[in-house]
Amino acid sequence: MPMLKQPSTKYSPFPQVDLPERQWPSQTIDAPPRWLSTDLRDGNQSIIDPMDAVKKNRFFDLLVEIGVKEIEVGFPSAGATEFDFISGLVKSGRIPDDVLVQVLTQSREELIRTSFESLTGANAAIVHLYNAVSPAWREIVFGMTRDQVREIAIAGAKVMRDEAGKRPDTDWHFQYSPETFSTAEIDFSLEVCSSVMDVLAPTPDHPIIFNLPATVEAATPNIYADQIEYFARNIPNRESVVISLHTHNDRGTGVAAAELGLMAGADRVEGCLFGNGERTGNCCLVTMALNMYTQGVDPQLDFSDIDRVIETVEYCNQLPVHERHPYGGELVYTAFSGSHQDAIKKGFAAHETQNDQRWRVPYLPIDPADLGRNYEAVIRVNSQSGKGGFAWVLEQDQGLKLPKKMQAHFSPFVQDMADRLGRELNADDIWQTFRAAYHVQTHPKHFQLVDYEENRAADGTRLFAGTIAVEGQEQTVSGRGNGLISSVLTTLEESFGLELEIVDYTEHALGSGRDARAAAYLECRTPDGRTIWGVGIDEDVATASVRAVLSAANSAI
């Protein structure tokens, strides 16, 4: 069935929130929120094959290692597997003193009791109670009135209070979610939450957590921010409340909604690493934390080895992290476009010479090294790439800093290779193409240096005397010139009838220290006007220049 040409007959725009003089648009995020990972609960229930105990334990250890201080570890009333994992985690002593574990339960007495039992022996824990409050759930799913739905929340809160009272050795924290908050009447969400507060009697020293989920993302992120600010303005005893966000990604803006929700006054963010979760997923904690990092705010989560985090998440979830996923994807620090590559290359060069640590590299909002990535993968080469791309790869892989004009000369060789192979070129592809194009460290070739001596004549000129193999046959040759390079050119002309004119010459060190080598680049012109480039690499800079002349000679013939 085709899409409706007039969708307004089927769908209605989400209503605006009556919030005069809203404050959140002028706010900034200058401190991290409290983070809660729900990978082991919301994330786990959304994957095809739920995690077993081994994977859950591995994931828990990863979350602790990167610095997550609040972790929703499961739904203990869902079955023996969940209950045993949670109970075993508590009894194992593996929960650090500064980490709070959280369990989720529906507002049903027997399920709440089971949840408390699973946490027996915990030093501290959060019990998270929820029930749906929006009209669609009240009317379609439950067939209940507002009063009946509110009573479900009150009854559950009373059971929580009583079960906690039976276990005074644990520092209990309470969380309540008016599930489907994003599509509920905001005054009703406030009414239900206020009733729960009346039962649990939070204080500023021991606040209640109100989690306000975008269970289904039904509007633009600014609407969610309005909802959060309205709730924060109107909930009683705000100083005794922690406002938590749990956004979903149905409209593709789960992270944006959470960011605006923080600006609107929230204190805490729930989500999953790389956004795993029901349907289109939850708020991605990696993206949100690193968004803060790029704004100069320490998120207090450690992603300095992001590839190892990805490896663990992919193993536990059996879901790939997309190549284009912000910050973590394999290709997010990769440029194929020629103009992009050139800008990035110049940015790195400028960064190396500046006197401070400020990051100002075009197209890269974050330094890949901060996440444990190396620079070699930043620029990759295919048929869309320009000269900046392969020049960067050669510099990173071989240390060669090609002159600008030589980059332009080499570009057609790379383009031809990319077109012929029909795939991305790796560093070795480019290096082998370069060697073949300029006869560098290749065998056989027409002119091959065997050995040579350079002497200064009485008139100040230089004398080149050496052995050159021509098509494998060694010949003793010599020539005189104003310098070493000119004496080699004279040798080529007098011995082999090959005439070349020097246009430009550059050289640089390859590496540093006693083992450093030299690279020499020679631009020449033939009598018929062709431009020829030669490249020489050697431990000795003089020998590198001789090899560069012979490289040009091999190209000329």
Side-chain angles (χ1 to χ4, degrees), residues 150-393:
R150 185 180 63 251
E151 285 304 316
I152 290 175
I154 292 171
K158 289 178 178 178
V159 177
M160 286 176 66
R161 178 196 60 195
D162 296 343
E163 289 299 311
K166 297 174 184 177
R167 300 168 175 83
D169 292 337
T170 299
D171 180 17
W172 296 106
H173 300 260
F174 301 127
Q175 175 169 323
Y176 173 70
S177 290
E179 193 196 7
T180 65
F181 167 84
S182 56
T183 52
E185 309 94 334
I186 195 164
D187 65 316
F188 184 55
S189 295
L190 281 162
E191 181 183 330
V192 175
C193 289
S194 297
S195 298
V196 170
M197 286 183 77
D198 291 341
V199 174
L200 297 175
T203 66
D205 293 333
H206 213 80
I208 187 172
I209 302 168
F210 282 138
N211 182 51
L212 307 179
T215 306
V216 177
E217 187 177 41
T220 50
N222 61 296
I223 299 294
Y224 185 66
D226 281 350
Q227 292 173 322
I228 300 303
E229 183 171 331
Y230 189 101
F231 186 95
R233 284 191 195 182
N234 292 281
I235 191 72
N237 302 318
R238 174 67 178 90
E239 68 280 2
S240 299
V241 172
V242 172
I243 294 180
S244 186
L245 309 174
H246 183 118
T247 58
H248 279 253
N249 205 41
D250 300 273
R251 291 171 56 92
T253 54
V255 169
E259 290 179 328
L260 299 192
L262 276 187
M263 293 162 59
D267 310 292
R268 184 174 182 256
V269 171
E270 297 189 4
C272 293
L273 300 185
F274 300 106
N276 184 36
E278 298 174 54
R279 303 182 309 281
T280 55
N282 290 2
C283 173
C284 173
L285 297 186
V286 175
T287 302
M288 190 160 178
L290 292 176
N291 282 353
M292 292 182 190
Y293 184 81
T294 63
Q295 300 302 303
V297 176
D298 181 1
Q300 297 181 6
L301 294 179
D302 182 5
F303 295 112
S304 58
D305 189 357
I306 200 166
D307 286 331
R308 198 171 67 79
V309 176
I310 292 171
E311 178 185 356
T312 299
V313 171
E314 290 185 331
Y315 166 74
C316 293
N317 288 343
Q318 294 297 294
L319 292 172
V321 173
H322 195 277
E323 291 93 337
R324 297 294 181 189
H325 192 100
Y327 300 108
E330 181 183 350
L331 297 178
V332 296
Y333 305 113
T334 299
F336 291 105
S337 161
S339 61
H340 291 204
Q341 292 173 340
D342 183 62
I344 292 171
K345 181 173 179 288
K346 290 174 179 175
F348 276 128
H351 185 69
E352 291 177 1
T353 62
Q354 67 188 46
N355 297 321
D356 57 45
Q357 292 184 321
R358 284 290 173 191
W359 183 250
R360 293 174 63 244
V361 175
Y363 295 109
L364 294 179
I366 193 171
D367 185 346
D370 288 351
L371 306 180
R373 293 278 174 90
N374 60 48
Y375 295 131
E376 294 177 6
V378 170
I379 294 177
R380 290 159 64 170
V381 179
N382 63 16
S383 61
Q384 302 300 306
S385 304
K387 60 182 181 298
F390 64 73
W392 171 261
V393 172

Side-chain angles (χ1 to χ4, degrees), residues 451-520:
D451 60 48
Y452 78 97
E453 290 183 355
E454 178 195 10
N455 296 295
R456 184 184 295 274
D459 60 0
T461 58
R462 301 293 181 90
L463 177 65
F464 172 85
T467 302
I468 294 176
V470 182
E471 298 292 348
Q473 300 297 313
E474 294 186 1
Q475 295 186 31
T476 300
V477 293
S478 63
R480 187 187 298 268
N482 294 328
L484 176 60
I485 291 176
S486 64
S487 65
V488 179
L489 290 172
T490 301
T491 300
L492 290 173
E493 184 176 356
E494 294 178 349
S495 300
F496 306 109
L498 181 61
E499 183 178 348
L500 294 173
E501 176 188 356
I502 300 296
V503 177
D504 195 16
Y505 171 83
T506 57
E507 63 183 39
H508 65 80
L510 288 172
S512 59
R514 301 177 67 178
D515 296 328
R517 296 178 300 155

Side-chain angles (χ1 to χ4, degrees), residues 90-148:
V90 172
K91 293 175 181 176
S92 69
R94 290 173 47 236
I95 303 172
D97 291 340
D98 61 346
V99 171
L100 273 174
V101 293
Q102 174 173 304
V103 297
L104 179 72
T105 177
Q106 291 171 309
S107 188
R108 290 165 49 188
E109 182 174 352
E110 68 277 13
L111 305 185
I112 298 170
R113 294 187 191 281
T114 299
S115 300
F116 275 90
E117 289 169 7
S118 73
L119 294 167
T120 299
N123 293 326
I126 304 170
V127 178
H128 178 190
L129 179 76
Y130 76 95
N131 66 303
V133 300
S134 69
W137 269 256
R138 293 196 313 260
E139 298 163 8
I140 298 172
V141 180
F142 305 130
M144 290 183 175
T145 64
R146 277 192 177 200
D147 289 344
Q148 289 172 314

